[in-house]
Amino acid sequence: MTDVIFGFLSSIGFTHPLHPAFTHIPMGMVIGAVVFRLASFLPRMKMLAKTGYHCVILALLGIAPTIVTGYLDWQHRFGGGWEFLIVLKMVLAGVLTVLLLLVTIKDDPDNRRVDRLTGWYVLMALVAIGLGYSGGELQYG
Ligand code: HEM
């Protein structure tokens, strides 16, 4: 299946890895979510908590295509070889998905506080940074 997908893409002139294009959605939205959440504690900036929450929703919607294209690139460009960075990314991708789901279900941005939920926003950013760094190591060595 992977060869069929990449064979078709290269037949129309697309020879780049697929995953990097999709990673921008969860990466950008998670960083945006934590910045808006923290900024919402500034005077008269409470409304930014809802902006941060909306970023969480879009990040969650972007997770599935990001994971699928990561898997496809792993199979196509790395021969599906098991290595520490790939296992790390799979674990971090699972952790990020669970955190995004928890925040989506449990957060009430209209009543945001410096509590466990705000802690989960910061933790999501750290997990995303781990995914980006391990991905950069795979790509740029
Ligand atoms: C939410 C989950 C994930 C995020 C946010 C993410 C993010 C990233 C980022 C930022 C890069 C560097 C891309 C670049 O600029 O070159 C990358 C590369 C990479 N990631 Fe992920 N990643 C995720 C999940 C996965 C999973 C589950 C796999 C494999 C099973 C994977 C496999 C790869 C591979 C092979 C690369 C090297 C570049 C490529 O061939 O596409 N990623 N990832």
Side-chain angles (χ1 to χ4, degrees), residues 59-129:
L60 188 58
L61 293 173
I63 283 281
T66 303
I67 290 175
V68 169
T69 52
Y71 174 83
L72 290 174
D73 279 357
W74 170 47
Q75 293 295 320
H76 182 65
R77 303 181 70 228
F78 295 77
W82 288 96
E83 58 175 283
F84 170 72
L85 286 171
I86 290 288
V87 175
L88 177 65
K89 285 183 71 76
M90 289 177 174
V91 171
L92 291 178
V95 171
L96 183 59
T97 307
V98 169
L99 283 170
L100 287 167
L101 276 171
L102 278 175
V103 170
T104 300
I105 295 164
K106 293 190 171 290
D107 195 19
D108 173 13
D110 292 326
N111 299 300
R112 94 275 178 247
R113 289 190 296 276
V114 181
D115 59 1
R116 188 181 47 175
L117 266 157
T118 298
W120 286 347
Y121 274 80
V122 176
L123 188 57
M124 285 193 295
L126 295 176
V127 172
I129 291 167

Side-chain angles (χ1 to χ4, degrees), residues 10-65:
S10 68
S11 73
I12 59 170
F14 185 87
T15 57
H16 300 169
L18 282 173
H19 184 56
F22 287 91
T23 61
H24 296 90
I25 304 171
M27 293 298 292
M29 287 300 116
V30 167
I31 301 300
V34 74
V35 169
F36 283 125
R37 180 68 167 207
L38 298 178
S40 77
F41 293 105
L42 296 171
R44 293 192 301 279
M45 288 293 149
K46 187 180 176 201
M47 79 296 224
L48 292 180
K50 189 156 273 185
T51 311
Y53 183 71
H54 292 154
C55 289
V56 168
I57 306 279
L58 184 50
L60 188 58
L61 293 173
I63 283 281

